[in-house]
C-alpha cells in the first residue's frame, strides 16, 4: 500500500499551534496510516497477536479475583484474570492484570507481546473516540474545526455565540482527552515492544512490529533503529526495498535543519 512520506511531519511541525489544529491533523494521520499492507489505523498487529489469546471455557474471572485478594503476588492469578476478561470481550479491562502479571513474571515474553497488542487495540479505540468527538464538533458547530483558537486575538474577536462556544469547548475537551489517551497507549505499546525486542533480538518479525508501532507513536529514532535491525536480520525479505525507502524518509525527518 502507498505511504504518505509527509504524514508524520504533522506531529513535529504543529506542536506549537492551537491544540485543535494539532489534534485534527494528528488524528487524520493515524487514521490513514498504512505501511506495507499491514492495515489502516493500528489494525493488523494487535489483531494478529490477539486472535488466539482467548480460550473458550478458560479461567474464571471470579476465581482469579478471589486468588488475587488472597495473595496479591499470585502471578498466575493475574494471568488468569486477564485471560478471563479477554474471553468476555473485555480487552481493555484485561490490560491492568496482564501488566501486573508481566511485572511479576518478566521472563514471559509472549505475555509481554500480548500486552503490547492490547495497548495498540486500546489506542485504536481512543482514536475512534477522538474522531467521533471531531465529527460532533463539525456537526454541532459547523466550521469550528477550521477557525482560529478562541484563545487567540482573532479567534476571540470572531467568537460571541455562547451556545456555539459551549459546544465547541465541550467537544474539543473530549477530543483532546481521547487524543491524549491514544498517545499514552501508543507510548505504552512501544515500551512493551522494546522489552520483547530486547529479549528476542534475532526475531525479525518483532523488530518490524516495534518499528511499525514506534512510527505510529512518532518515536522516529526507535522506528529507524528497529527497521535497520529488521533489514540486518532479514535482508532478503520481500519488504526490504520498501523498508530501506522508509528508513531514508524517516531519517530525513529527524535530520537537523542546516543553518542558513
Amino acid at each position: 500500500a502507498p505511504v504518505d512520506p509527509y504524514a508524520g511531519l504533522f506531529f513535529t511541525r504543529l506542536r506549537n499551534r492551537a491544540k485543535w489544529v494539532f489534534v485534527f491533523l494528528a488524528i487524520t494521520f493515524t487514521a490513514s496510516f498504512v505501511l506495507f499492507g499491514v492495515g489502516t489505523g493500528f489494525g493488523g498487529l494487535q489483531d494478529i497477536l490477539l486472535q488466539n489469546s482467548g480460550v473458550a471455557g478458560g479461567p474464571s474471572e471470579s476465581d482469579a479475583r478471589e486468588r488475587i485478594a488472597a495473595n496479591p503476588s499470585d502471578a498466575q492469578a493475574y494471568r488468569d484474570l486477564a485471560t478471563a476478561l479477554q474471553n468476555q470481550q473485555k480487552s481493555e479491562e484485561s490490560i491492568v492484570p496482564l501488566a501486573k502479571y508481566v511485572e511479576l513474571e518478566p521472563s514471559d515474553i509472549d505475555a509481554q507481546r500480548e500486552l503490547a497488542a492490547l495497548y495498540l487495540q486500546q489506542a485504536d479505540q481512543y482514536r475512534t473516540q477522538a474522531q467521533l468527538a471531531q465529527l460532533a464538533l463539525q456537526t454541532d458547530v459547523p466550521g469550528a474545526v477550521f477557525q482560529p483558537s478562541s484563545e487567540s486575538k482573532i479567534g476571540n474577536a470572531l467568537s460571541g455565540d455562547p451556545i456555539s462556544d459551549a459546544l465547541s469547548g465541550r467537544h474539543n475537551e473530549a477530543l483532546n482527552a481521547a487524543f491524549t489517551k491514544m498517545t499514552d497507549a501508543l507510548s505504552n505499546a512501544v515500551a512493551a515492544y522494546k522489552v520483547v525486542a530486547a529479549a528476542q533480538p534475532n526475531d525479525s518479525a518483532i523488530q518490524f512490529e516495534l518499528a511499525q508501532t514506534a512510527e505510529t507513536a512518532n518515536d522516529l529514532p526507535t522506528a529507524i533503529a528497529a527497521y535497520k535491525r529488521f533489514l540486518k536480520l532479514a535482508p532478503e525479505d520481500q519488504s526490504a526495498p520498501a523498508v530501506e525507502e522508509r528508513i531514508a524518509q524517516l531519517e530525513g525527518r529527524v535530520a537537523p535543519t542546516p543553518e542558513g
Side-chain angles (χ1 to χ4, degrees):
V3 177
D4 177 2
Y6 303 105
L9 293 178
F10 289 149
F11 288 98
T12 54
R13 289 182 175 178
L14 298 171
R15 290 187 183 278
N16 295 324
R17 294 190 182 184
K19 285 186 178 181
W20 62 264
V21 178
F22 173 62
V23 173
F24 174 76
L25 292 177
I27 292 172
T28 300
F29 165 63
T30 54
S32 62
F33 180 78
V34 180
L35 184 57
F36 310 135
V38 172
T40 57
F42 315 124
L45 292 182
Q46 77 270 19
D47 294 336
I48 293 171
L49 295 174
L50 292 175
Q51 61 185 353
N52 295 320
S53 60
V55 179
S60 162
E61 177 184 352
S62 59
D63 176 68
R65 291 190 184 280
E66 289 177 2
R67 287 156 55 201
I68 291 171
N71 180 11
S73 297
D74 186 342
Q76 188 58 46
Y78 288 103
R79 168 75 270 191
D80 290 346
L81 176 57
T83 300
L85 290 171
Q86 288 183 43
N87 287 342
Q88 299 174 53
Q89 306 301 313
K90 299 178 180 179
S91 296
E92 187 166 5
E93 289 184 41
S94 73
I95 290 176
V96 172
L98 187 57
K100 182 63 177 180
Y101 169 74
V102 298
E103 177 186 330
L104 295 170
E105 294 289 343
S107 62
D108 191 337
I109 301 304
D110 287 340
Q112 187 76 50
R113 197 176 186 188
E114 181 181 327
L115 180 62
L118 286 170
Y119 282 131
L120 281 174
Q121 189 177 76
Q122 184 183 53
D124 203 33
Q125 292 170 349
Y126 288 135
R127 175 180 61 84
T128 298
Q129 291 179 19
Q131 289 176 317
L132 291 174
Q134 178 181 307
L135 178 61
L137 174 63
Q138 292 173 307
T139 301
D140 292 345
V141 192
V145 173
F146 304 101
Q147 292 175 356
S149 168
S150 60
E151 297 179 359
S152 68
K153 291 182 178 180
I154 296 178
N156 186 52
L158 293 176
S159 65
D161 182 345
I163 296 178
S164 294
D165 289 347
L167 288 171
S168 179
R170 184 181 70 187
H171 292 317
N172 271 309
E173 183 178 352
L175 192 154
N176 279 287
F179 178 73
T180 297
K181 291 177 180 179
M182 181 188 76
T183 54
D184 287 345
L186 285 172
S187 295
N188 289 335
V190 171
Y193 268 123
K194 283 183 176 180
V195 173
V196 177
Q200 300 180 355
N202 296 320
D203 189 323
S204 62
I206 290 175
Q207 293 297 327
F208 189 81
E209 291 166 17
L210 171 59
Q212 290 264 277
T213 304
E215 185 178 350
T216 309
N218 200 42
D219 183 351
L220 300 190
T222 296
I224 291 169
Y227 279 137
K228 288 182 175 180
R229 180 66 180 170
F230 168 80
L231 288 177
K232 183 176 181 179
L233 294 171
E236 303 302 322
D237 189 275
Q238 62 180 1
S239 304
V243 171
E244 290 176 349
E245 181 179 352
R246 194 60 173 169
I247 289 172
Q249 293 169 349
L250 297 180
E251 287 182 332
R253 296 181 198 173
V254 299
T257 304
E259 295 182 2

